[in-house]
Amino acid sequence: MTPGSNVAERIDIYDTTLRDGSQGQGVSFSTADKLRIAERLDAFGVHYIEGGWPGSNPKDIEFFEGAKHRTFRCAKLAAFGSTRRKGARASDDSQVRLLVEAETPVVTIFGKTWLLHVREVLQTTPEENLAMIEDTVKLLKSHGRFVVYDGEHAFDGYKDDPEYALATWKAAERGGADIVVLCDTNGGSVPGEIVDIVRSARARLTARLGIHTHDDIGLGVANALAAIEAGATHVQGTFNGYGERVGNCSLTTLIPTLEFKLKKKSVPSQSLALLKELSGFLDEVANVRPNPRLPWVGSAAFSHKGGTHVNAVQKLLRSYEHVDPALVGNTRHVLISELAGRSNIIMKARELGFDVTKETPRLEAILKRVKKLEHEGYEFEAADGSLALLIRRTLKEEPPPFSVDAYHVSMRSDGSATVCEATVKVRAGNEHAHTVADGDGPVNALDRALRSALIKFYPDLEAMHLTDYKVRIVDSSRGTAAKTRVLIESSDET
Ligand SMILES: [Zn+2]
């Protein structure tokens, strides 16, 4: 089966969170973040993951290098780039060569639909633009790639000159493109226009059609759904709608709408209950404050203000909810169900390798502890390591492997240089260690002092190093006295 071959009625989900999404304001992913996200997206069941543009930055090349050593269960990885330069051969174009060298099963290239862009931006002729599209697709096909062709400004271009727009898509089709995607790049189209233009493309092209929309006037998802109704079977978007300007078509909204409202299949049905968790994980890794008003998964999506009797409210609520929030892993807010909490913990604990059932006596203690910490501002969505330690200690009633008895950190500045020094007293069993270290700042100095103390007791820690470190203000209204949440990622050599 070739990547993306059609299963009847299935809408293929093409995720561009790592490329278009990372262009969103305040969103920044390290290479390690991107690999971690790709694994989660694959587990969720998206069909394509666009990893980045190898021709645009070294970080994206590094991502594709890292991805070569991983196997994805369901998703096909796509490298993104553009058609060849004007007046050159596709095989001589370094940007196109990097796309081939990324060694992904899928390559997506964008090309110009709109004559305005052909003339003013590319400063070339309409004919050369058509040749650039056809040649580049052909070259990528000759390397055995599944080729997705993104027609940039498809709708604006069509409105300006329908025949030329169609000619560009036909050029991609002649080159052998497997999917032709119509992009509302500027995000200003409305559903009626989308339907008309997708229908006219459907009538004239034989390739599968896809849709890529932006949310500039709040219609990103509506426009994608309109295109699907008109015959597109491949949809591009980002989770939580991250993306340039106000963002892309949000897959977090689109996927459950396809499943529960339009009865169209996309990702595996059992993934839908994990949607809220995935959305929270991405916010955490992107270091973005979760939007409570996000449709389907936001904390306000199923929250009801009301102080009436619980039983009466429960009856009434059904009439105020369009679906059961559990379908997307969300919960109703006035009635945080103890049962739902328990089954979430059981599911998560099993995933982390613990043998836990609803009969496990310490389950209640784990749940209590998680709830207490979450109330204080901790967040476990992206912190599996911390959650695993919490479950393990609560289940086995294990004493902590070490304790920090005392620490001190001092910082001096003479106006130009800053010196930071930390001392730490650590105890493990009956043994003690007392260490001193310098650092660039208090966290760095404490990290070094603690590390050198712990290595005495646990030499394996020598191989562990910090791979990522993110700080988030939890209650910003308290200014510099605010609580902060720190997400730390460490790794060993393996
Ligand atoms: Zn885009």
Side-chain angles (χ1 to χ4, degrees), residues 19-20 212 214 248:
R19 205 266 311 164
D20 235 358
H212 175 119
H214 280 259
N248 284 54

Side-chain angles (χ1 to χ4, degrees), residues 18 29-41 49 62-70 72 77 281:
L18 300 179
F29 299 127
S30 64
T31 303
D33 286 342
K34 290 179 79 169
L35 288 165
R36 203 171 160 213
I37 292 171
E39 278 172 4
R40 284 289 282 256
L41 293 173
I49 298 169
E62 200 178 287
F63 167 81
F64 289 112
E65 279 304 315
K68 284 176 191 169
H69 308 294
R70 309 190 181 217
F72 294 99
L77 204 60
F281 165 81

Side-chain angles (χ1 to χ4, degrees), residues 16 19-21 23 50 80 150 183-186 212-214 236 238 243-245 247-248:
T16 178
R19 205 266 311 164
D20 235 358
Q23 289 169 23
E50 190 173 81
F80 177 86
D150 277 7
C183 304
D184 187 27
T185 310
N186 294 357
H212 175 119
T213 56
H214 280 259
Q236 304 189 344
T238 64
E244 229 160 342
R245 307 185 303 278
N248 284 54

Side-chain angles (χ1 to χ4, degrees), residues 304-327:
H304 305 272
K305 274 192 184 177
T308 27
H309 193 275
V310 171
N311 280 334
V313 174
Q314 196 168 17
K315 271 183 206 146
L316 195 67
L317 277 173
R318 273 190 213 116
S319 57
Y320 284 102
E321 281 171 355
H322 62 96
V323 293
D324 178 356
L327 290 175

Side-chain angles (χ1 to χ4, degrees), residues 214-471:
H214 280 259
D215 205 32
D216 293 78
I217 53 173
L219 295 174
V221 171
N223 284 339
L225 293 174
I228 289 169
E229 296 279 341
T233 55
H234 162 116
V235 60
Q236 304 189 344
T238 64
F239 278 91
N240 298 347
Y242 302 149
E244 229 160 342
R245 307 185 303 278
V246 302
N248 284 54
C249 162
S250 171
L251 295 177
T252 314
T253 304
L254 181 100
I255 292 172
T257 307
L258 281 177
E259 175 88 14
F260 300 118
K261 304 296 176 183
L262 300 176
K263 311 290 178 211
K264 287 188 192 290
K265 291 286 155 212
S266 62
V267 301
S269 296
Q270 63 270 28
S271 289
L272 271 293
L274 304 169
L275 186 66
K276 184 178 168 59
E277 195 188 314
L278 177 66
S279 164
F281 165 81
L282 287 165
D283 277 342
E284 198 58 37
V285 178
N287 210 14
V288 167
R289 190 181 288 274
N291 176 1
R293 288 183 302 283
L294 221 53
W296 296 93
V297 300
S299 59
F302 297 96
S303 73
H304 305 272
K305 274 192 184 177
T308 27
H309 193 275
V310 171
N311 280 334
V313 174
Q314 196 168 17
K315 271 183 206 146
L316 195 67
L317 277 173
R318 273 190 213 116
S319 57
Y320 284 102
E321 281 171 355
H322 62 96
V323 293
D324 178 356
L327 290 175
V328 288
N330 210 343
T331 43
R332 168 174 311 135
H333 257 289
V334 275
L335 301 161
I336 297 168
S337 153
E338 283 295 309
L339 250 150
R342 206 170 290 147
S343 52
N344 281 351
I345 288 286
I346 295 173
M347 222 164 77
K348 195 73 207 172
R350 288 219 180 122
E351 192 189 307
L352 293 170
F354 296 96
D355 185 18
V356 172
T357 66
K358 56 180 191 305
E359 270 76 48
T360 303
R362 301 286 295 159
L363 187 64
E364 205 52 43
I366 296 172
L367 192 62
K368 257 197 181 142
R369 191 141 174 74
V370 169
K371 285 203 165 162
K372 181 174 173 286
L373 290 171
E374 281 186 343
H375 182 71
E376 287 172 21
Y378 284 81
E379 170 75 63
F380 291 98
E381 304 268 87
D384 283 355
S386 298
L387 186 63
L389 283 173
L390 183 151
I391 295 173
R392 183 174 148 165
R393 279 183 202 153
T394 316
L395 278 181
K396 302 190 175 166
E397 296 180 58
E398 259 180 6
F402 67 90
S403 63
V404 176
D405 286 343
Y407 67 87
H408 174 81
V409 59
S410 69
M411 217 169 149
R412 283 189 311 279
S413 174
D414 62 7
S416 55
T418 304
V419 184
C420 209
E421 191 188 271
T423 58
V424 176
K425 276 188 188 171
V426 177
R427 186 158 39 97
N430 298 323
E431 288 186 81
H432 295 261
H434 186 181
T435 50
V436 185
D438 292 334
D440 291 333
V443 176
N444 185 228
L446 278 168
D447 177 52
R448 283 187 179 165
L450 183 62
R451 198 172 282 274
S452 68
L454 289 177
I455 284 170
K456 291 193 182 118
F457 307 127
Y458 307 103
D460 288 350
L461 286 178
E462 191 103 49
M464 292 287 284
H465 57 271
L466 192 68
T467 53
D468 206 357
Y469 178 81
K470 288 193 177 94
V471 178

